[in-house]
Amino acid sequence: METTLPTAELPERHYLNQGQGIASWLLTKDHKRIAIMYLLGVTFFFLLGGIMAMLIRLELLTPQGDLLEPDTYNRVFTMHGVFMVFFVLLPVVPAILGNFLIPIMIGAKDLAFPKINLLSWYLYMIGGGLTMYAMVRGGVDTGWTFYTPFSSTYSNTHVMATAIGVFINGFSGILTGVNFIVTIHRMRAPGLTWFRLPLFVWGHYATSLIQVLGTPVVAIAIALVGLERLFHLGIFDASRGGDPVLFQHLFWFYSHPAVYIMVLPPMGVISELVAAFSRKPVFGYRIVAYSSIGIAVLGFLVWGHHMFVSGQSVYASVVFSVLTMLVAIPSAIKVFNWSSTLYRGSVSYETPMLYALAFLGLFLIGGLTGVMLATLGFDVYVHDTYFVVAHFHYVMVGGAIVSFLGGLHYWWPKMFGRMYPVFWSKLSALLVFVGFNLTFFPQFIVGYLGMPRRYWQYPAEFQVWNVLSTAGASVLAIGFLLPGCYLLWSLKYGKVAGPNPWGALGLEWTIPSPPPTENFDGVPVVKGEPYDYQTGEEIFGILGKEAHVV
Amino acid sequence: MSEAAHAHPGLHHQFDSYEQQRQSASLGMWAFLVNEVMFFGGMFLAYAYYRHRYGHEFAAGSHSLDISLGAFNTAVLIGSSLTMALAVRAAQMGRNKAIVAFLIATMVLGSVFLGVKVIEYSDKFEHHHVPGPSFVWHDEAGSGKYAGADPFKIQIYFSLYFAMTGFHALHMIVGIGIMLLMLRPAWKGKWNLDNHNFVEGFGLYWHFVDIVWIFLFPLLYLIGRS
């Protein structure tokens, strides 16, 4: 921020003020505006899911079930899972930061299919709207996994509306994935080879592959559940020779890779943050890029580890157990390479960097407990306990949400042209880190001691851990609400940021903040490796304005 | 939209050239079709699993289908792929009226297919071969050949039959709807030598739907018919 010129002014024309009125937003084809609309939608669903989370934590404050009815509790944790997984974690980084940044980072004017991009947003909102309709009509109690035969035969709640909502939202993700794949393949600026791409783009490429390959499988699984409820097709109905476990196979074939949809783009964000605030190129750029693809590929081979106790063959379980542990290799490569990037770098502790460092710690714990859970014998012991709950919150919240906040704080001045208050943003980063650990670390312990998930009451000896967890959730809630306040404040009163407030490298920092609708004034060219902080050579230019174009 | 947009009709602002636009459209369609393969793939997986478990019942269910209607539909659909390919060719050459004619021919053939499907479905309803509480199974078609077949497991066959052919038919209905929307721009001469991506992409989609049927026909109709 020291590099901000005191005379910095907002550009006269930018994407926010070109076109006024609600219609100019709802009919926009500008990837930047669509990203802002996603930001609003995701924030709304995050708030809903967060309220559900607080209800869960309040109920679990005491061993007795005294706040919610057991049936209500089932619905609350189901809606928490559905909103958070499908409507927050999946789109949070790709649809907001990816949408805004990928075309700019590769020097394009827009995504390859701007209309389809807008369609994705509408599908997302329609899917979310249907799920909200299910919620206000009484909700769903199947858990976010929709396991048959409960979801197909026995549940009398609004499974259909929720399933259709999730189905439609799936197509939003698929179309975004197709859009990113084509954009990254076909729209890169002259000189921007695959191995000059920012790692953020690599992460999104890997995620897009999973979205296109995996999401349709869960779509057909959910559709078959719907057909079973509506027309009595018996594909998962054991009373007619159908196999309910087949649903679990189809569901997890997508839903395990979906975890990598949630975490690969955040890993891309972390690569950008670590490089920018260490003033060093990412250590082992190529291997970090390949490890994204490695995680995406391996992610398709591990779904059976969700089914160790579902009647799956024990030999299959052993194979899945080993394959699951393999995922630790590309994940560890990333963590080691980020650490090596920090080593002897000029590290500065700006707010985005605080989130990146928080991510490193939280993802380490989430990842290592993942290896523990991959171990067949141990998983059978802690299956469906709070140990599992703590593990995937460390990966999904500690991974996806924390790095999203880091990325949002990093690119916020690019998106809106203004800085936020340093003190409050650092305070909220601290609150998120402390609150998060206080919420979920006790859950590892109480889960290991045997507290099962998805119950509204529990034995009294578990109370101390649950009180800690609820206290942590309250701190975490403040940590999440604070950015909402000061970021809104900054839109009007924040200091004008200028084009490159962090002194960072990347095509996005070569254009004004906020950027003009067409992003670049001409066709940008790239003449060097990414994150070249050390040689200080000019690696970006504009086609035709430079004599020596590589 | 700048002057460039007027100088190059049909070139979208985010692309630098027709070549880039065409490559993007084509890659996008292929990526979308990969998604479609995975969508149907879930059902093919279920089919492989249950056919392995309930081979006898699948053969019994398969024998209740009308093989000649299925074969007729296969021919109709392959014919529609031919007319679709001719429509794409016409678009590449910028022959507006030929595009419209071939699209209409494709729609007619597609509708014939769906009409036959309606006959087949209503036949299943009449014979109570639809899975659910009213499912009844008499082994008339096999005349005792499939005596030991478990009616409950035969319902799995019909569940897959309706799910797979139903989603296939849904894709055809969507396709015919898109073709209806294509008629007007085709007539107005929107597609020409430089800009025919949409017709080409839609052609890929239609051929994909055709190929799905090429797999469905033997898997559903021809079990144990040697």
Side-chain angles (χ1 to χ4, degrees), chain A residues 38-340:
Chain A
Y38 265 115
L39 176 61
L40 294 174
V42 170
T43 307
F44 176 73
F45 290 120
F46 184 67
L47 211 61
L48 268 184
I51 291 169
M52 302 289 172
M54 287 317 290
L55 283 173
I56 295 170
R57 283 319 321 163
L58 284 175
E59 169 59 62
L60 295 180
L61 193 56
T62 57
Q64 307 81 28
D66 38 19
L67 179 66
L68 303 171
E69 295 290 317
D71 277 341
T72 315
Y73 182 79
N74 291 345
R75 290 163 200 225
V76 165
F77 76 67
T78 301
M79 299 316 291
H80 167 71
V82 169
F83 278 124
M84 286 304 201
V85 169
F86 294 109
F87 297 99
V88 177
L89 289 163
L90 286 171
V92 66
V93 175
I96 301 171
L97 299 177
N99 229 333
F100 194 96
L101 290 160
I102 284 177
I104 302 180
M105 281 183 168
I106 67 169
K109 297 189 201 81
D110 205 321
L111 288 171
F113 309 117
K115 276 188 208 163
I116 289 178
N117 195 22
L118 183 64
L119 174 67
S120 299
W121 183 79
Y122 276 102
L123 290 176
Y124 169 75
M125 293 308 285
I126 293 169
L130 267 169
T131 311
M132 270 177 54
Y133 163 81
M135 182 187 75
V136 296
R137 291 294 302 272
V140 197
D141 61 356
T142 59
W144 76 276
T145 49
F146 303 112
Y147 269 15
T148 54
F150 190 47
S151 61
S152 54
T153 310
Y154 298 108
S155 178
N156 290 320
T157 52
H158 294 83
V159 179
M160 275 318 291
T162 315
I164 296 171
V166 169
F167 184 87
I168 293 174
N169 179 53
F171 280 89
S172 161
I174 291 168
L175 292 177
T176 303
V178 169
N179 224 333
F180 284 178
I181 288 174
V182 175
T183 306
I184 296 168
H185 267 280
R186 294 280 179 243
M187 315 270 291
R188 302 194 308 278
L192 187 54
T193 59
W194 280 91
F195 290 107
R196 287 177 178 177
L197 284 174
L199 288 163
F200 181 87
V201 179
W202 272 100
H204 279 79
Y205 185 75
T207 270
S208 303
L209 292 181
I210 303 175
Q211 279 183 313
V212 171
L213 287 169
T215 317
V217 179
V218 82
I220 187 65
I222 290 175
L224 291 175
V225 169
L227 291 178
E228 189 162 329
R229 283 185 80 91
L230 288 177
F231 302 118
H232 303 285
L233 297 197
I235 292 168
F236 303 128
D237 183 355
S239 73
R240 272 175 288 164
D243 189 344
V245 178
L246 181 64
F247 173 82
Q248 295 186 26
H249 278 288
L250 291 173
F251 180 83
W252 287 116
F253 180 80
Y254 161 75
S255 293
H256 192 79
V259 177
Y260 303 123
I261 296 181
M262 297 170 201
V263 87
L264 281 168
M267 287 170 157
V269 171
I270 297 304
S271 294
E272 300 298 315
L273 298 185
V274 167
F277 294 105
S278 308
R279 287 292 185 269
K280 271 180 71 188
V282 173
F283 181 83
Y285 167 92
R286 280 197 182 218
I287 197 78
V288 176
Y290 283 134
S291 65
S292 292
I293 307 294
I295 290 173
V297 172
L298 280 174
F300 276 111
L301 307 176
V302 302
W303 77 90
H305 68 220
H306 293 271
M307 300 164 61
F308 285 161
V309 298
S310 298
Q312 178 180 255
S313 139
V314 68
Y315 301 106
S317 293
V318 169
V319 172
F320 279 123
S321 172
V322 173
L323 286 170
T324 305
M325 290 183 197
L326 292 184
V327 181
I329 296 172
S331 310
I333 285 173
K334 282 181 184 287
V335 174
F336 285 130
N337 283 28
W338 290 323
S339 310
S340 311

